[in-house]
Amino acid sequence: MAYVAVSGGEEAIEASIQLLDYYRSGTEKDVDLEVIENKFGLLVDKVMSEAGLYARSYAALALKQCEGSTEEAVFLLRAYRSTLKRSHYTKTVDTGEMRVMRRISAAFKDIPGGQLLGATYDYTHRLIHFERESEDASELHQMFQKILNEQTPEQLRTYSRVSNMLKEEGLLDIYKEDNTPPFDVTENLLEFPASRSARLQTMTRADTGFLSGLAYSVLRGFGQVHPTVGELRSGYVALEIPYPGKAEESIYLGEILLTEVETFNSASDKEQLKLASGYGAVFGRNENKAIAMAVIDRELEQGGDYPPQDQEFVLMHGDCLEMNGFISHLKLPHYVTFQSKLDAVRKTRRKQEHGESGTV
């Protein structure tokens, strides 16, 4: 559970909350929610992913309310999510039908359909553009709206998976379709050993920095070492629910933006007859998290002695809400427990002093 509590008089608490509004005020200019949602898209995506709720406008509102703190915004969004009624389960999404906006492979130069670079900061010069202090936002918006309107359906087509090539060659395992209902970590207590569906759900809501740090440790030798990104794709997938009374028909709800990654690893056996794969998928554009998730997915599947291969270590410590809540609780009063520590130290010191002087 996450620790959330305050201690002090009622007047002090009310004054503290009022002071938060003071810090949030800052200037007479207000920050429009539409601005946060559309101009801080990567931040909004990060909050939605860790909160487990795809709601861009609410994520923007949460960020505005808590001065841009991702931890607090995730807390607010998760708390709101817990009040929502779950009316339907969508049909299983086939990400192979994703309306792709970006698609690359680090494993192959030439892939079916070609590489689609899309929007990325990977090739930008890390220089601050000071001229953007006074850029004309409306002119920029109109220019790109015109470009989008001129796109043809062929430019928004779907792409087959890179991994299909390896499966056809027998270099990746092909698994039968498993229609077992996934383990829902939001409604059930996580138990170990956890199923793969539970692991993937937990990781997609995990703290981005935590997962990235674990994946980095794998690359440095605390794991199977250096997987290859077989395919990274970002784009929109359609959500549908079964039509009541007509299972063969469905109702289209809309589409959401996802980032999906498949990584390829050397197999664990010495014969090296096949490759192994890892998988990651997150809300929005959050490529590093999706890659880190795929790396850790394979480590957990493999198992071993390193922290990234330990289910309990990874799944119980990566939740940003639990993590930050527990660390934050250290700010709360610990008067009694600290006094007991002081008493123990003082008692030990007295014993040592008496022993050195030869007295009992």
Side-chain angles (χ1 to χ4, degrees), residues 59-345:
L61 177 59
L63 283 165
K64 178 179 179 179
Q65 179 177 329
C66 60
E67 303 177 73
S69 167
T70 54
E71 296 85 0
E72 286 294 325
V74 169
F75 202 142
L76 291 172
L77 213 56
R78 284 242 195 129
Y80 173 70
R81 181 189 182 281
S82 68
T83 68
L84 300 177
K85 178 184 177 182
R86 180 172 295 176
S87 301
H88 302 279
Y89 285 89
T90 65
K91 289 188 172 182
T92 302
V93 172
D94 181 5
T95 52
E97 298 297 318
M98 177 185 291
R99 183 163 61 88
V100 173
M101 299 298 172
R102 168 166 158 78
R103 180 206 186 215
I104 61 167
S105 173
F108 301 99
K109 179 181 179 181
D110 298 315
I111 54 178
Q115 309 241 13
L116 183 63
L117 195 58
T120 176
Y121 286 99
D122 292 345
Y123 310 105
T124 61
H125 298 293
R126 264 60 179 209
L127 300 173
I128 296 180
H129 295 275
F130 291 100
E131 67 274 11
R132 292 185 180 174
E133 288 184 277
S134 56
E135 71 177 350
D136 190 334
S138 61
E139 181 180 342
L140 189 67
H141 178 71
Q142 290 172 9
M143 179 182 72
F144 280 102
Q145 284 298 117
K146 181 180 179 182
I147 294 174
L148 290 174
N149 292 334
E150 292 174 352
Q151 284 188 319
T152 62
E154 288 74 20
Q155 292 172 292
L156 298 174
R157 62 191 177 92
T158 60
Y159 295 79
S160 63
R161 296 184 182 280
V162 171
S163 57
N164 289 343
M165 296 190 303
L166 299 177
K167 290 177 181 177
E168 291 172 0
E169 197 176 340
L171 296 176
L172 273 179
D173 281 326
I174 299 176
Y175 297 95
K176 294 181 179 179
E177 184 174 331
D178 185 359
N179 293 315
T180 303
F183 183 91
D184 191 340
V185 298
T186 66
E187 294 189 343
N188 300 282
L189 183 66
L190 189 62
E191 298 179 352
F192 298 100
S195 65
R196 188 157 184 254
S197 65
R199 299 199 303 264
L200 291 175
Q201 285 178 68
T202 303
M203 285 194 290
T204 198
R205 304 203 316 167
D207 182 81
T208 302
F210 177 83
L211 273 188
S212 299
L214 281 182
Y216 179 48
S217 75
V218 172
L219 302 183
R220 293 191 64 248
F222 295 89
Q224 297 180 81
V225 187
H226 215 299
T228 302
V229 173
E231 183 175 6
L232 181 154
R233 57 168 67 191
S234 295
Y236 291 89
V237 294
L239 299 182
E240 299 177 352
I241 60 173
Y243 193 92
K246 298 180 181 179
E248 68 281 0
E249 298 184 19
S250 60
I251 300 174
Y252 173 75
L253 299 180
E255 56 182 13
I256 61 174
L257 178 63
L258 294 180
T259 297
E260 181 186 52
V261 170
E262 281 187 289
T263 57
F264 302 146
N265 297 62
S266 297
S268 57
D269 61 88
K270 295 181 181 179
E271 294 182 356
Q272 296 287 309
L273 295 178
K274 291 185 178 181
L275 295 172
S277 63
Y279 181 79
V282 297
F283 284 155
R285 294 160 55 212
N286 197 340
E287 295 180 2
N288 278 7
K289 182 177 182 181
I291 294 172
M293 180 179 169
V295 172
I296 302 302
D297 171 49
R298 180 56 202 159
E299 294 296 314
L300 293 178
E301 191 74 14
Q302 171 67 28
D305 300 325
Y306 292 121
Q309 299 168 335
D310 186 314
Q311 285 192 22
E312 187 170 4
F313 181 86
V314 173
L315 303 182
M316 295 300 293
H317 297 97
D319 189 287
C320 66
L321 198 60
E322 301 281 353
M323 179 199 322
N324 289 290
F326 207 91
I327 292 174
S328 180
H329 103 280
L330 296 176
K331 296 181 290 185
L332 302 177
H334 287 72
Y335 307 137
V336 175
T337 54
F338 184 67
Q339 288 302 317
S340 68
K341 293 177 184 178
L342 279 180
D343 290 342
V345 171

Side-chain angles (χ1 to χ4, degrees), residues 8-18:
E10 185 176 347
E11 292 183 1
I13 293 173
E14 289 179 355
S16 174
I17 296 173
Q18 188 174 11

